[in-house]
Amino acid sequence: MNHIAPNPKTGFSVCPHDCPSACALEVELLDDHTIGRVRGAKNNSYTLGVICEKVARYSERIHHPERLLHPMKRVGPKGAGQFERISWDQALDITAKAFLEAEAEFGAESVWPYYYAGTMGLVMRDGIERLRHTKSYSGMYGTVCIALSWPGYFAGVGKVAGVDPREMQKSDLIVVWGGNPVNTQVNVMTHIGIARKNRGAKLACVDIYETGTMKQADIKLLIKPGTDGALACAVMHVLFRDGHANWDYLNQYTDCPKEFEAHLKPRTPEWASAICGAPVAEIEAFAKLIGETPKTFFRIGYGFTRSRNGAANIHAVTSIPAVTGAWLHEGGGALHSNSGTFKWDKSLIEGKDAAKAKHRVIDMARVGEALLGNPHDLAGGPPVKAMLIQNTNPLSIAPDQTKVKQGFAREDLFVCVHEQFMTETAKYADVLLPATMFLEHDDIYQGGGHSHILFGRKLVNAPGECRSNHEVIADLAKRVGAQHRGFAMSPREIIDETLKASCRPSLDVLDVESWVDVMPDFDTAHNIKGFAHPDGKYHFKADWKAAAFLSPNGQLGPYADLPPLPDHYAAIEEANEAYPFRLATSPARTFLNSTFNETPSSVKREGRPTVLAHPSDLEENGIADGDMVHVGSARGQVALHAKAHAGQRRGVLIAEGLWPNEAHEGGRGINTLTGADQPAPAGGGTYHDNRVWLKKA
C-alpha cells in the first residue's frame, strides 16, 4: 500500500489533451506514485486558476483500475480483445520483425506510423515522425481536426494566428461563432465573464443548437448546419448597406472592397434566412450590433468548419471584422488559433534531417479506404501491411467506421498499438503496449488558444511497465535499423535543443518559470502593419490553392467549385426524401473525443448515448422522449435514445459524444454515420455534415 503524505506537495504541469486551452496545472502530489486534486494554475494569465471538470478529476483517470500495465500479444480474433502478457523485449521483437518483413517484401512505404493528438506534447506526439523519416515509411496527413478550418482562416488573414485571447476582457461584444467553449474550452468563458462583469460586454453565440455557451449568451443566432457562410454574408450586406463598413480601413487593408460590396448586394437577410433558418429581424439586429460596436472580438470555433463547406464558411466569418475594421481596436478582431505564432523548429523532434526522397502520405481520415486498398489513397504505392499507432483511436474516431473496422480486421495487417486503455483500436492490435500518461514523462506544449509555451514535467512514476512514446520509438528504432541522434537523447535534451533552435529560452529557464508567453506585440497580432499575405491585404478573394498549404498532396476535393468570394457554398449533404434530417456529432461536456469516456464520473454525467431532436420532429415520427431510436445514413445505422430538445431548428439532430462503440447496439459507434470523402481545398473531417433518417427502434 502506498504511503499517503499528510501535506501533499504541489507540482506544476500542463494539460496534454486535444484542446486549444493547454491549461497550466497545479497538481497535488500525495507520493511518488499518487496524485490528488488537479487545479488550474492561478498565476497563468490565461488559465487563471480555472480548468474543466474532467481534468480536475484526473486522479480518476491516471489511477484507473483498467489502465494497461504490461505488454501483450493477441491470442484471439482481431477485435475480440483477447491477449496474453509478454515481456517488452518480446513485444518489440515481434513488432520489429513484422515491420522488417513488410519492408523486405513490399517496400518501406508498406509500414504506416499512425498518430494524432491524444497528447499535444511535441516530443511524445511528433517523435514518431523521426522513425518515419529515418525509415522512409508512409507519412500520415492529419485531417480530422484542422484541415478545413485553417485553410479557410488562412485564405483571409494569410497566417494561422490572431488576437490575444486575453483581450476579450477589453471587448464590448464577444461573438462565439461555431464553438461551444462551455464544453470544449472553459477558459474562453473565464475571459468573457471578466468582460461582462467589468465592462458590461455582451456575448453573442452562433450555433446549430442551444449549447451551454448559447444558454449564457445575450444574443443567440440558431442556424441550420453548414449555413454559416450565408449568415456571415447577410451580416456584411447589412454592414455595407447601413454605413457600418469602415471604408478607410477597407481601402488600406483589404484586396477588393468595392467588388466585394457589389457581390454582397443580393445576399440580403431575407436570402440568408431562407438558407440558414434565422429570422430576418435577428440577422438585422445582430449585424447592427456588430456595426455599432468597434470592440467586437470574434472567437471563431472549429465545430462549424467540420462540414464539406467548412473552409468557405470560416473564410466568410473571418471577413466580418475586416469590413468593420474591428482589428484596429484592443478587444477587437478575430482569433481562431494562435498555432502559427510559435514557429517551432522541430527538425530534431521529427528527424527531418534524415528524410530521404519524398514518400507517400496517406490521409488519416481515410484510414478505412487506405486499409481496404483504395488506389486513390495508396497513390500507386504498396498496400499497408504494418502499423504503429500512438495517441489516437481510429476504430472510434475515424469517419466511415464500418470500413475502418473492415480494414483493421485484415489478417495480413500487423498492428502494434501503444495505449493507456483497452480502446476499440487496442482490441485489434497484434501487439499491445502500455503507455505513460502526461504526469509520468517530460514534454513541452503550446496553447493554440493562447500564446504560452509550457513545460510539463514528470511528477509521478508510471504504474506497472508503462513506457513513454519516446522510449518505444527509440527501442523500436534500434531493432529496425533506424539511426538518428534523437533516439539516444532524453526528452529533456530534445526539449532544450528544440527551444534553442526555435529561438526560445532554454529548458533551464522554462523549468523554473513553467511557462513563457510568446504573444507578439499589438501591431503584429492586429495586422496593423498589414496582413500576412505578400500584398499585406486581407483577402476577400481567396486563393484556395495557396490556402491548401496543409495538404502534402496539393489541393483536394472539388477544388474548382469553391467560391472565390465569401458566399454560401452548397457542398453539404443536404437533407432529402430518403434522409430528411441533418446530423452533427458534437462534443460532450465531460468527454474529449474518445478520451475520458472510461472515467466513472464522466460516464455518470453523460448518462447514455442520446440524440437531441426537436419535439415536433419526434412527435411527427411517433417517437417519445427517451425511446430507443435508430439513425441511419448511406454508410450504416446506429442506435441511441431520443431526447426532446427544442433548442435547434427542425430537421436537425445532435448526437453529443464520443461514446465507446460498445455503448451502442451492435458495437456500431456514431462514426458509422460519418463520411470520409475529401472536401475542398485540403480534405478534413466532416463530422457535422451528415444526412440521415430517424426511426423508432
Side-chain angles (χ1 to χ4, degrees):
M1 180 180 294
N2 291 327
H3 172 67
I4 305 300
N7 296 304
K9 298 186 298 182
T10 298
F12 292 94
S13 189
V14 50
C15 179
H17 291 288
D18 189 5
C19 166
S21 284
C23 291
L25 304 179
E26 298 174 1
V27 184
E28 284 186 351
L29 305 177
L30 304 183
D31 60 30
D32 291 344
H33 301 272
T34 314
I35 70 166
R37 294 281 302 275
V38 180
R39 301 179 177 89
K42 294 179 182 178
N43 292 335
N44 182 278
S45 59
Y46 182 73
T47 304
L48 290 178
V50 178
I51 57 170
C52 67
E53 59 184 283
K54 48 189 173 284
V55 174
R57 298 190 303 266
Y58 213 87
S59 60
E60 270 192 312
R61 189 164 195 276
I62 195 169
H63 302 310
H64 199 294
E66 295 177 12
R67 272 193 72 173
L68 298 178
L69 300 178
H70 308 286
M72 296 184 284
K73 70 174 182 180
R74 178 171 63 89
V75 295
K78 288 200 172 191
Q82 297 171 10
F83 295 89
E84 69 177 19
R85 182 175 171 179
I86 57 176
S87 70
W88 267 102
D89 281 340
Q90 288 175 304
L92 293 169
D93 286 346
I94 293 169
T95 302
K97 181 174 182 287
F99 283 19
L100 290 169
E101 287 178 350
E103 182 180 359
E105 186 173 357
F106 297 95
E109 287 185 334
S110 67
V111 181
W112 187 19
Y114 190 95
Y115 69 102
Y116 205 57
T119 176
M120 297 291 278
L122 302 189
V123 175
M124 300 302 166
R125 182 189 65 192
D126 301 329
I128 196 171
E129 288 284 275
R130 195 181 323 120
L131 183 66
R132 172 175 79 88
H133 281 132
T134 53
K135 291 294 294 180
S136 295
Y137 293 152
S138 282
M140 189 201 74
Y141 175 31
T143 48
V144 297
C145 181
I146 61 173
L148 279 158
S149 68
W150 282 17
Y153 186 88
F154 179 94
V157 178
K159 61 183 179 182
V160 183
V163 175
D164 188 333
R166 293 164 293 194
E167 283 189 32
M168 284 187 282
Q169 297 180 23
K170 300 181 179 180
S171 303
D172 295 319
L173 172 63
I174 299 109
V175 179
V176 174
W177 196 308
N180 180 16
V182 164
N183 280 17
T184 62
Q185 258 190 95
V186 67
N187 309 84
V188 171
M189 302 307 295
T190 300
H191 295 276
I192 291 172
I194 293 171
R196 297 176 89 175
K197 180 179 178 181
N198 294 344
R199 300 178 60 83
K202 287 182 165 36
L203 169 62
C205 184
V206 180
D207 217 316
I208 61 172
Y209 74 114
E210 189 178 44
T211 63
T213 305
M214 186 176 281
K215 283 181 169 69
Q216 298 186 31
D218 304 288
I219 301 96
K220 307 175 183 184
L221 274 293
L222 198 62
I223 64 173
K224 298 176 182 177
T227 63
D228 303 80
L231 175 59
C233 285
V235 167
M236 292 184 285
H237 168 96
V238 173
L239 294 173
F240 277 108
R241 183 198 70 194
D242 293 352
H244 296 303
N246 185 333
W247 278 103
D248 289 339
Y249 186 86
L250 285 161
N251 289 328
Q252 181 178 349
Y253 284 100
T254 70
D255 60 343
C256 56
K258 286 291 186 184
E259 181 182 352
F260 187 41
E261 180 188 29
H263 166 76
L264 290 173
K265 281 191 176 175
R267 287 153 180 84
T268 63
E270 290 77 10
W271 166 83
S273 179
I275 296 169
C276 74
V280 170
E282 291 183 9
I283 298 173
E284 292 272 5
F286 181 44
K288 183 174 186 289
L289 181 62
I290 291 170
E292 293 177 348
T293 312
K295 291 188 173 187
T296 296
F297 191 114
F298 286 81
R299 189 61 183 89
I300 302 172
Y302 288 86
F304 79 109
T305 71
R306 290 178 180 144
S307 295
R308 287 163 180 80
N309 60 1
N313 283 346
I314 191 172
H315 177 230
V317 172
T318 309
S319 296
I320 299 173
V323 173
T324 64
W327 290 97
L328 292 169
H329 306 284
E330 186 176 28
L335 173 63
H336 173 60
S337 169
N338 265 326
S339 295
T341 297
F342 298 93
K343 298 180 170 41
W344 291 107
D345 182 338
K346 294 198 286 185
S347 300
L348 173 60
I349 291 175
E350 298 185 356
K352 292 180 179 179
D353 55 335
K356 301 179 180 69
K358 184 177 180 182
H359 46 274
R360 176 176 70 184
V361 178
I362 306 174
D363 183 344
M364 74 172 299
R366 291 180 58 80
V367 59
E369 294 282 3
L371 295 184
L372 292 175
N374 188 318
H376 167 77
D377 299 284
L378 298 181
V384 176
K385 301 293 287 187
M387 298 178 74
L388 171 64
I389 299 178
Q390 291 183 322
N391 315 325
T392 191
N393 181 15
L395 269 296
S396 174
I397 67 100
D400 204 352
Q401 187 178 105
T402 301
K403 288 186 177 179
V404 178
K405 289 177 178 177
Q406 292 169 351
F408 274 97
R410 281 174 36 203
E411 285 298 332
D412 66 330
L413 172 70
F414 175 86
V415 178
C416 175
V417 176
H418 187 203
E419 249 299 352
Q420 298 163 346
F421 292 96
M422 187 64 74
T423 64
E424 293 90 341
T425 304
K427 290 177 181 178
Y428 279 79
D430 295 284
V431 168
L432 182 55
L433 306 175
T436 51
M437 291 191 184
F438 76 104
L439 296 172
E440 299 160 355
H441 56 243
D442 295 314
D443 212 336
I444 189 171
Y445 303 84
Q446 69 177 51
H450 54 83
S451 55
H452 290 99
I453 294 170
L454 309 100
F455 180 46
R457 52 184 64 75
K458 178 181 176 181
L459 296 177
V460 292
N461 295 324
E465 298 181 82
C466 295
R467 293 187 185 179
S468 72
N469 291 3
H470 175 69
E471 292 175 285
V472 169
I473 293 299
D475 286 346
L476 190 56
K478 296 174 189 174
R479 289 167 164 83
V480 298
Q483 296 183 351
H484 190 277
R485 66 190 183 90
F487 294 129
M489 298 171 70
S490 70
R492 292 180 74 99
E493 290 170 332
I494 294 172
I495 291 167
D496 188 53
E497 185 169 325
T498 299
L499 285 166
K500 292 172 181 174
S502 305
C503 301
R504 300 301 185 190
S506 70
L507 181 56
D508 287 342
V509 174
L510 194 58
D511 202 359
V512 172
E513 300 293 332
S514 292
W515 56 77
V516 58
D517 190 356
V518 299
M519 190 69 210
D521 60 76
F522 178 91
D523 284 2
T524 301
H526 286 256
N527 305 293
I528 300 302
K529 296 176 183 176
F531 286 84
H533 292 294
D535 62 2
K537 306 286 189 180
Y538 180 89
H539 283 191
F540 294 127
K541 188 170 287 184
D543 179 348
W544 289 115
K545 183 175 182 180
F549 68 97
L550 287 170
S551 172
N553 300 317
Q555 56 269 28
L556 299 169
Y559 167 83
D561 296 339
L562 282 163
L565 291 168
D567 211 337
H568 172 60
Y569 173 39
I572 57 177
E573 282 198 351
E574 297 277 10
N576 57 26
E577 186 175 353
Y579 301 99
F581 293 93
R582 298 261 294 137
L583 169 73
T585 60
S586 302
R589 182 164 181 168
T590 55
F591 297 159
L592 201 170
N593 301 322
S594 68
T595 307
F596 295 100
N597 64 18
E598 72 285 318
T599 54
S601 60
S602 291
V603 173
K604 182 178 179 180
R605 169 156 186 149
E606 299 303 332
R608 61 186 180 183
T610 59
V611 59
L612 307 181
H614 195 281
S616 298
D617 286 330
L618 292 180
E619 182 180 1
E620 189 173 282
N621 286 272
I623 300 167
D625 184 66
D627 279 352
M628 174 73 81
V629 295
H630 288 159
V631 180
S633 74
R635 294 167 282 270
Q637 69 179 56
V638 301
L640 311 99
H641 285 86
K643 186 174 182 179
H645 188 257
Q648 60 213 59
R649 300 292 171 195
R650 289 203 62 183
V652 176
L653 304 178
I654 307 292
E656 292 186 333
L658 207 57
W659 283 91
N661 294 346
E662 64 186 21
H664 296 267
E665 181 181 274
R668 295 184 296 272
I670 197 67
N671 280 313
T672 301
L673 304 175
T674 58
D677 46 314
Q678 292 174 311
T686 57
Y687 295 99
H688 302 338
D689 186 2
N690 309 284
R691 59 182 169 216
V692 297
W693 49 255
L694 170 70
K695 298 176 183 176
K696 187 173 180 177

